[in-house]
Amino acid sequence: MSIDRRVFIGAAGAIIGGTLGGVGLSEAAEVLGGRKPITQKEWEALYRSYGQAQFTCVRTSTAVEGPYYYDSSPLRSAIAEGHPGERVRLGLTLGGMLSPVANRCFPLAGAVIDIWQTDAAGLYSNAGGDLQTVDTTGQTFLRGHQITDEKGYVEFDTIVPGWEVIAVPPPVIVGARTTHIHVKAYHGRDVLTAQLYFPDPLLDQLFADVEPYKSHVMMTAPGLPKSYARVRNVQDGLFLADKSEPMTVEQINGVLTAKATIGMISQGNRGITPLFR
């Protein structure tokens, strides 16, 4: 994500005694990049919009970010940069929910969906040689972000990731992860971090029969004493802890296509200045 989209919106100065250089609070809010208090008319429009839920969804489990995220991925839909692997078209729909128990979502337009993943060999871009066997510092492969349309939808052209292994502090020692894609969704002041998974049968077939996956069923990382065998979803502690479900994946017009709906708690499109932009 381009760094200018991630500038924290902070106050330009303190408001003392309810004014800023003789400017009232409402005017000061505009001067400082904020907005005027919501009006009754705006509230009624916002309330009506809550009744326009268009699809069923559930709240997406919040997942750990991991060590490989950084906030300068390119604005683009094609992210592989020529890295080999099974091509996959990833379609994501971002829905807003008023509460954790709601089962209806309204589309969140104008949100930032940022994704990052490994290549088929389990390597991330912009990762140092102390974390993985290849130093990829400064590279941007398999990272990118898109802005959701009026239906809350974005699409990426990527490849099926590999799996990964990393040395972690004792007592765990080794962290082995199944194939997954990391996601951050930014909408207004709401941020959701999640991980997306692929069905085990598809992965079993790729790692058994398809290069370059079949050459990477064993992995190691700096600080680990040996190589480790690939783990499946049902062997991944984070997958189990989050009670995750794999994405729906099917062949459409000869292209492997993965679909997922991400549900996050949101007050909808209120026009509030985003925390990150």
Side-chain angles (χ1 to χ4, degrees):
M1 180 173 301
S2 56
I3 197 68
D4 61 326
R5 294 189 62 85
R6 299 293 180 83
V7 178
F8 180 75
I9 306 301
I15 300 177
I16 301 175
T19 64
L20 178 63
V23 179
L25 283 175
S26 294
E27 292 82 4
E30 292 185 337
V31 170
L32 297 179
R35 71 190 297 273
K36 293 181 179 180
I38 190 168
T39 66
Q40 177 67 24
K41 183 178 180 180
E42 289 172 328
W43 163 240
E44 289 176 357
L46 178 63
Y47 184 80
R48 285 194 297 270
S49 73
Y50 294 154
Q52 297 174 356
Q54 297 179 13
F55 49 90
T56 300
C57 68
V58 296
R59 186 181 184 184
T60 300
S61 298
T62 299
V64 296
E65 180 180 284
Y68 300 105
Y69 178 71
Y70 71 96
D71 61 359
S72 56
S73 71
L75 173 60
R76 61 184 181 181
S77 58
I79 67 173
E81 294 188 8
H83 279 246
E86 184 72 21
R87 180 189 172 194
V88 62
R89 181 168 294 141
L90 176 65
L92 303 177
T93 299
L94 182 64
M97 314 172 68
L98 288 180
S99 75
V101 297
N103 62 359
R104 297 289 289 172
C105 276
F106 42 88
L108 294 178
V112 175
I113 304 293
D114 198 359
I115 71 170
W116 68 104
Q117 63 172 81
T118 73
D119 65 6
L123 301 176
Y124 287 93
S125 63
N126 202 37
D130 57 343
L131 281 178
Q132 58 186 29
T133 55
V134 178
D135 189 326
T136 58
T137 301
Q139 299 181 46
T140 60
F141 62 84
L142 295 164
R143 298 178 183 270
H145 72 276
Q146 286 281 289
I147 312 299
T148 57
D149 63 16
E150 68 279 0
K151 296 181 179 179
Y153 184 75
V154 293
E155 200 167 82
F156 294 91
D157 284 319
T158 183
I159 59 171
V160 176
W163 66 291
E164 67 189 73
V165 65
I166 186 174
V168 295
V172 179
I173 305 299
V174 57
R177 296 297 321 283
T178 187
T179 296
H180 61 279
I181 295 177
H182 294 271
V183 179
K184 272 187 179 290
Y186 296 89
H187 182 265
R189 287 177 167 81
D190 303 316
V191 183
L192 174 69
T193 302
Q195 296 183 21
L196 305 174
Y197 297 90
F198 291 80
D200 268 331
L202 167 67
L203 299 176
D204 291 343
Q205 188 267 325
L206 288 178
F207 282 97
D209 302 326
V210 179
E211 291 288 7
Y213 302 96
K214 63 185 295 186
S215 295
H216 297 286
V217 294
M218 300 289 293
M219 284 191 68
T220 189
L224 297 180
K226 63 177 184 178
S227 292
Y228 295 83
R230 179 178 77 91
V231 295
R232 304 171 76 241
N233 291 338
V234 293
Q235 299 168 297
D236 187 302
L238 290 178
F239 177 88
L240 297 175
D242 294 339
K243 298 180 179 179
S244 300
E245 293 289 339
M247 293 182 287
T248 299
V249 182
E250 57 185 334
Q251 288 278 351
I252 299 179
N253 297 325
V255 178
L256 200 65
T257 302
K259 298 280 188 179
T261 298
I262 299 171
M264 65 187 297
I265 304 301
S266 174
Q267 294 300 309
N269 292 295
R270 293 183 56 179
I272 296 177
T273 303
L275 186 62
F276 296 98
R277 67 176 186 177

